[in-house]
């Protein structure tokens, strides 16, 4: 096991009717900017609950953060912050709204070209405080300090991480997810699953506690994704999916481990180039990437295949069979798992995404072997 340091300052407030707790978490004299997406919160009662909880506070609203949030949108919020001397940000929505809020928090205090914040080209040493109401189980953004932002002009999607943008608090009321369209539930299930894989399916460093934790999160996702079909109104199913999504990317899974993140690296390029949903991009790429790198991943995938899918046989055949089980699992949610299902030509996509890696000298993966040539080969299998 590698050495590690872990600290997460986010206070998680989880459960039914927890949105009202906002009022106890934001300083009374704060000037709050509430940040929203495209309007889902107005149809599912979340906006009403947030507004009630914020009664008596100075509040301005910023609307219109889109899925795969853009730099250009975030820039508009900065004007409001200046105009009203805002000193606290509240994100209300899914991972995109929260990622945008984290970026805005950093950009508002940043002296320089704000696009430099992503990709960690520039370190920043200050950020506005922020809190969150998370309405979509997927990204884990509610308990981590990462954010992914797209630059519309450059057509580039990139992430950054900085402890300064941990939410001060995150409210997760699983009831808010009852209004999610099937498409977003599927995206979230795949995203959660792949977050665990990016951290678990790497070299074996005798991380017994972390491995057990990862497999238990994956098991919960498998069971509750299945239960969702027969019991879409079951609160506990929603609660388990929400907590699995948070736990999949709050740092616990990767303590002392080596991480990969190459499915995400390719997925972000697909989203930037073709506007594909984040979860969907992972459903297409992940299992092909696992097979491409199977020689590095066979020990962990075999362990997973035996424990989660009751597979038998030698390490390599169980590892391979495990990747097919993962693909079946994704397909069973109804999500597309190939480029053809998305109406995309794999030859054209492989060329374009491979060129994007080549032009920007991008290399990804735990063994830094996912370069433009590997990307082409992987996408030709998609
Ligand atoms: O915009 P509104 O109207 O709110 O609608 C949203 C949006 O259209 C809707 N939605 C959210 N909650 C809802 C709801 N609709 C009905 N009922 C609800 N309760 O869902 C749509 C998608 O929302 P979005 O926030 O884009 O989805 P998600 O949470 O999956 O976030 C995806 C973004 O997060 C990034 C992705 O790359 C992508 O940009 N990620 C962030 C990570 C992080 N910060 O750690 C890690 C992830 O790997 C990921 O990269
Ligand atoms: Zn993800």
């Amino acid at each position: 096991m590698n050495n590690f340091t872990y600290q997460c300052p986010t206070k998680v407030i989880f459960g039914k009717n927890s949105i009202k707790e906002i009022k106890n978490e934001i300083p009374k004299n704060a000037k709050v900017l509430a940040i929203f997406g495209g309007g889902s919160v107005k149809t599912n009662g979340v906006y009403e609950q947030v507004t009630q909880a914020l009664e008596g506070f100075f509040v301005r609203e910023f609307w219109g953060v889109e899925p795969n949030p853009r730099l250009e949108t975030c820039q508009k919020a900065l004007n409001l912050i200046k105009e009203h001397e805002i000193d606290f940000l509240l994100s209300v929505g899914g991972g995109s709204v929260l990622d945008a809020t984290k970026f805005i928090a950093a950009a508002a205090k940043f002296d320089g070209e704000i696009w430099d914040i992503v990709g960690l080209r520039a370190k920043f040493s200050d950020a506005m405080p922020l809190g969150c109401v998370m309405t979509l189980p997927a990204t884990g953004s509610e308990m981590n300090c990462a954010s992914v932002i797209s630059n519309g002009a450059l057509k580039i999607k990139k992430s950054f991480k900085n402890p300064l943008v941990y939410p001060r608090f995150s409210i997760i009321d699983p009831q808010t997810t009852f209004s999610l369209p099937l498409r977003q539930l599927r995206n979230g299930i795949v995203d959660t699953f792949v977050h665990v894989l990016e951290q678990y399916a790497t070299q074996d460093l005798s991380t017994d506690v972390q491995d057990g934790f990862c497999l238990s999160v994956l098991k919960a996702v498998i069971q509750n994704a299945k239960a969702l079909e027969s019991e879409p109104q079951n609160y506990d199913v929603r609660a388990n999916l929400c907590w699995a999504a948070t736990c999949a990317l709050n740092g616990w899974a990767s303590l002392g481990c080596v991480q990969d993140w190459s499915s995400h690296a390719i997925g972000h390029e697909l989203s930037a180039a073709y506007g594909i949903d984040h979860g969907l991009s992972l459903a297409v790429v992940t299992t092909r990437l696992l097979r491409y790198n199977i020689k590095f991943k066979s020990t962990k995938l075999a362990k997973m295949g035996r424990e989660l899918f009751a597979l038998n046989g030698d390490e390599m055949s169980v590892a391979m069979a495990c990747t097919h089980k993962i693909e079946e699992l994704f397909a069973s949610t109804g999500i597309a798992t190939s480029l053809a299902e998305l109406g995309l030509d794999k030859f054209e996509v492989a060329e374009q995404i491979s060129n994007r890696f080549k032009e920007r000298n991008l290399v990804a993966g735990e063994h830094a072997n996912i370069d433009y040539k590997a990307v082409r080969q992987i996408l030709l299998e998609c």
Side-chain angles (χ1 to χ4, degrees), residues 138-140 148 157 187 190-192 194-195 198 249 261 264 268 278-279 281-282:
T139 60
V148 191
K157 184 176 178 188
N187 284 341
V190 172
D191 198 18
T192 301
V194 177
H195 289 161
E198 298 272 30
L249 201 48
W261 297 106
H264 274 69
H268 288 341
H278 175 61
S281 74
L282 300 174

Side-chain angles (χ1 to χ4, degrees), residues 145-355:
C145 64
S147 159
V148 191
I149 300 295
S150 296
N151 184 316
L154 300 177
K155 283 206 158 203
I156 290 177
K157 184 176 178 188
K158 274 193 155 188
S159 62
F160 71 93
K161 268 173 115 175
N162 189 312
L164 290 166
V165 298
Y166 270 112
R168 299 281 168 104
F169 64 87
S170 282
I171 294 182
I172 307 166
D173 179 348
Q175 296 176 123
T176 64
T177 70
F178 282 120
S179 56
L180 276 168
L182 204 50
R183 168 179 164 185
Q184 301 305 340
L185 285 167
R186 290 166 177 158
N187 284 341
I189 287 165
V190 172
D191 198 18
T192 301
F193 207 90
V194 177
H195 289 161
V196 177
L197 288 176
E198 298 272 30
Q199 300 164 91
Y200 164 84
T202 56
Q203 56 180 293
D204 187 0
L205 293 180
S206 299
T207 46
D208 297 348
V209 174
Q210 297 86 324
D211 293 359
F213 175 74
C214 287
L215 293 177
S216 109
V217 174
L218 292 178
K219 195 170 160 199
V221 176
I222 295 170
Q223 284 173 350
N224 288 284
K226 197 161 170 41
L228 194 62
E229 287 168 30
S230 51
E231 298 173 79
Q233 296 307 315
N234 184 319
Y235 171 82
D236 287 318
V237 169
R238 303 281 171 156
N240 279 305
L241 288 172
C242 284
W243 189 231
T246 306
C247 289
L249 201 48
N250 65 358
W252 294 341
S254 61
L255 299 176
C257 303
V258 174
Q259 304 180 51
D260 192 308
W261 297 106
S262 46
S263 293
H264 274 69
I266 303 175
H268 288 341
E269 295 304 320
L270 283 171
S271 292
Y274 299 98
I276 297 172
D277 290 352
H278 175 61
L280 194 47
S281 74
L282 300 174
V284 170
V285 170
T286 302
T287 53
R288 281 70 180 210
L289 190 134
L290 292 174
R291 275 174 226 141
Y292 180 87
N293 263 344
I294 196 81
K295 68 171 186 276
F296 302 124
K297 298 181 179 295
S298 57
T299 307
K300 290 291 199 75
L301 286 174
K303 186 172 176 179
M304 177 177 166
R306 291 192 181 103
E307 291 194 24
L308 291 192
F309 300 117
L311 297 169
N312 290 311
D314 62 87
E315 180 173 296
M316 193 50 84
S317 58
V318 172
M320 264 307 200
C322 182
T323 69
H324 290 286
K325 285 285 181 192
I326 297 168
E327 200 168 329
E328 271 172 35
L329 175 80
F330 291 170
S332 74
T333 68
I335 202 166
T337 55
S338 71
L339 292 168
E341 284 172 81
L342 298 175
L344 293 171
D345 174 40
K346 67 179 179 185
F347 297 102
E348 199 274 324
V349 173
E351 206 48 40
Q352 182 172 169
I353 302 299
S354 166
N355 282 340

